[in-house]
Amino acid sequence: MTGTPSPKDISTKLQRIAELASWTPKLAITSLSQHIDIDWLKEAYRRTRKDGAVGVDGQTATAYAANLESNLQMLLDRAKSGRYFAPPVRRVHIPKDDGKTRPLGIPTFGDKVLQRAVVMALEPIYEQDFLDCSYGFRPGRSAHQALESFWQQAMRMGGGWVLEVDIRSFFDTLDHGHLRAILQRRVRDGVVLRLIGKWLNAGVMEGGAIERVEQGTPQGGVISPLLANIYLHHVLDEWFATEVKARLAGRAFLVRYADDFVIGFSEEADAVQVQQWLAERFATHGLQLHPEKTRLVRFEAPKDDGPAPGSFDLLGFTHYWGRTRAGGWAIKRKTSSKRLRRAFQRIADWCRKHRHDPIPQQHAMLTKKLRGHYAYYGITGNARALGLVWRAAEDLWQKWLSRRSQRARIPWDRFRRLLAVFKLPRPGVVHSVYRAANP
């Protein structure tokens, strides 16, 4: 590709947008699309994943790149002139822990590039506005930082009560009218708002039929996580920080990762009251708390004469109180039972489907899968759950290697010799609370 933009040039533009947003925190920005030019789209293309599933047009990243300059120029011209037509997303279904499925929308590759370009323009604005309590899909922030934030704040507070919240079908029920109004508080650029409106109304294609939608933003779209953060920043984060906390008798804090969040309280009465206010606040913005998955949990160090503390799940981990080596009480985390079952099932499914592959090839992929699991779940205090996954990988590998044929059964003594050559990586701590405390 000729004329590749300088990362420094794009960085300078992003810095200008951020500075403008910082200087005018209460004003809407009208001159945003002027930054989106051909170099901007080239950088958006560079940042777009090339190995994702194809959209309704069947075009791959490789096919798009064959005429990249022309495709990007046409994309830019259509976007700026208003002639851009947002194609429907292709709907697929991915399994959930409860046996149900979650709909996922897959845009076309060109749509992914243009959405990435708009995200690049919006992100510097909203990064000036977003609060420290939100961690999902933000540059330089991660799920592990969210987990650490909860741990630190709950430990300083000495425990108390935790409101574990689930928003019913958030991405499917997000109200377009409310979202447009929230966006216009900070962005009044006609090109950008028009594009977002087209994506919201593009609909989904499944089984050859197009379904038009009047609410929601499909999970899978490049811009969907940012729109979700913008919506919940206004509906939840800002409201909690400016209106709720001042009305409470005790201390409270919020930790949010996309639409997954918990609120910690030092006082039970505050927790009960906020649960009611939250339901009312969400109802006025088209959202609903899941009645079965939203619950209030007593979460404090056990007392000799008191009830046992509860536990709750956040970002794939079960949080509970346990004894430290010194004999005190501290908040501990372990892989949630749902995530453990999912890990076992995925390893079993892979071993079954690939049992006829060459042994070195199987070993390489299982090693990659285990290291990926450790990279997320390898936190201090989670050794037992990590060991279960490691041992399950060995057991399942042996099981399905033995089923390659009726005469191919591999007894354990022979399998142990194979493992001596093709060792599966043992688990280890990747995210240490001790390293975090003493960087």
Side-chain angles (χ1 to χ4, degrees):
M1 180 177 67
T2 60
T4 302
S6 164
K8 184 177 180 180
D9 293 339
I10 301 299
S11 178
T12 300
K13 287 185 177 182
L14 293 172
Q15 183 62 34
R16 287 174 184 164
I17 296 173
E19 289 174 352
L20 179 60
S22 179
W23 294 334
T24 58
K26 303 297 183 182
L27 299 178
I29 295 175
T30 59
S31 56
L32 192 58
S33 59
Q34 68 180 20
H35 298 285
I36 302 177
D37 55 17
I38 192 64
D39 286 343
W40 190 277
L41 281 189
K42 288 178 181 178
E43 177 63 15
Y45 166 81
R46 188 187 69 81
R47 297 186 185 190
T48 301
R49 280 186 57 186
K50 312 300 189 295
D51 58 348
V54 299
V56 295
D57 62 356
Q59 187 177 45
T60 64
T62 301
Y64 194 89
N67 295 291
L68 184 59
E69 294 277 354
S70 174
N71 285 333
L72 291 180
Q73 188 62 57
M74 287 191 295
L75 188 65
L76 179 65
D77 293 343
R78 294 199 309 272
K80 291 291 186 75
S81 67
R83 293 182 291 108
Y84 179 77
F85 170 75
V89 297
R90 183 170 67 88
R91 176 180 284 167
V92 297
H93 295 270
I94 57 175
K96 295 171 62 176
D97 292 330
D98 58 8
K100 299 179 182 179
T101 61
R102 175 184 291 111
L104 190 69
I106 303 174
T108 64
F109 187 79
D111 223 16
K112 293 176 184 178
V113 173
L114 189 54
Q115 286 189 26
R116 177 61 63 192
V118 171
V119 168
M120 287 166 54
L122 291 176
E123 212 167 52
I125 299 173
Y126 285 100
E127 279 301 309
Q128 311 308 309
D129 298 351
F130 289 161
L131 304 182
D132 285 343
C133 62
S134 71
Y135 292 85
F137 304 103
R138 292 182 58 187
R141 294 194 152 219
S142 69
H144 289 99
Q145 290 176 334
L147 292 166
E148 181 65 17
S149 175
F150 174 85
W151 191 90
Q152 293 285 355
Q153 293 184 82
M155 286 293 293
R156 283 198 298 268
M157 200 165 67
W161 293 80
V162 168
L163 182 59
E164 182 184 10
V165 182
D166 185 276
I167 308 175
R168 173 175 272 174
S169 303
F170 172 70
F171 283 92
D172 297 330
T173 59
L174 189 149
D175 185 272
H176 290 179
H178 286 305
L179 176 59
R180 289 190 181 96
I182 293 169
L183 282 168
Q184 288 176 11
R185 288 156 51 103
R186 282 300 260 156
V187 177
R188 293 284 178 85
D189 185 286
V191 171
V192 170
L193 293 177
R194 186 167 57 242
L195 286 172
I196 293 175
K198 289 182 178 182
W199 288 322
L200 291 175
N201 296 321
V204 297
M205 177 177 286
E206 185 174 13
I210 297 178
E211 175 188 348
R212 297 300 174 187
V213 294
E214 296 182 358
Q215 60 182 16
T217 175
Q219 287 180 269
V222 177
I223 201 167
S224 292
L226 178 58
L227 294 180
N229 270 339
I230 293 170
Y231 201 87
L232 287 175
H233 165 72
H234 170 72
V235 175
L236 176 64
D237 304 353
E238 210 171 36
W239 168 75
F240 182 79
T242 60
E243 298 184 34
V244 173
K245 291 180 72 174
R247 301 165 64 185
L248 302 180
R251 289 177 290 168
F253 65 90
L254 166 69
V255 176
R256 180 175 67 82
Y257 189 93
D259 62 327
D260 194 358
F261 68 95
V262 295
I263 309 177
F265 301 90
S266 62
E267 305 297 328
E268 180 183 9
D270 287 341
V272 172
Q273 182 64 75
V274 170
Q275 185 171 4
Q276 178 186 333
W277 289 341
L278 186 62
E280 295 168 355
R281 172 74 173 175
F282 275 14
T284 62
H285 290 82
L287 301 177
Q288 183 181 2
L289 300 182
H290 196 296
E292 298 171 2
K293 298 180 180 179
T294 298
R295 63 194 187 103
L296 193 56
V297 180
R298 178 189 289 273
F299 194 71
E300 58 187 2
K303 298 180 177 63
D304 293 338
D305 57 348
S311 63
F312 68 94
D313 289 353
L314 176 66
L315 299 176
F317 292 93
T318 297
H319 298 246
Y320 64 100
W321 285 89
R323 287 285 189 186
T324 66
R325 291 182 179 179
W329 291 99
I331 299 170
K332 297 192 173 186
R333 285 90 47 101
K334 61 183 178 181
T335 309
S336 71
S337 57
K338 289 181 179 179
R339 295 294 183 92
L340 267 180
R341 288 195 297 271
R342 183 197 296 180
F344 296 157
Q345 191 61 53
R346 286 179 173 176
I347 294 172
D349 289 345
W350 190 90
C351 288
R352 175 178 58 82
K353 292 176 183 178
H354 296 270
R355 63 186 182 274
H356 296 293
D357 292 354
I359 297 295
Q361 187 174 320
Q362 291 189 46
H363 172 257
M365 184 54 68
L366 284 172
T367 296
K368 182 178 180 181
K369 288 181 176 296
L370 285 173
R371 285 179 175 159
H373 184 86
Y374 303 156
Y376 186 79
Y377 294 100
I379 66 173
T380 302
N382 197 31
R384 180 179 178 276
L386 294 174
L388 289 174
V389 173
W390 173 64
R391 285 188 288 272
E394 287 191 343
D395 293 345
L396 290 165
W397 196 19
Q398 188 270 342
K399 171 184 176 180
W400 288 106
L401 282 179
S402 294
R403 296 190 181 186
R404 297 223 262 188
S405 69
Q406 291 183 343
R407 293 183 293 178
R409 188 177 184 281
I410 301 178
W412 269 99
D413 58 345
R414 180 182 165 197
F415 184 67
R416 290 297 179 196
R417 292 195 295 273
L418 183 147
L419 284 176
V421 179
F422 296 99
K423 296 178 181 178
L424 293 179
R426 289 178 175 269
V429 173
V430 179
H431 307 278
S432 169
V433 295
Y434 305 112
R435 286 199 295 268
N438 301 284

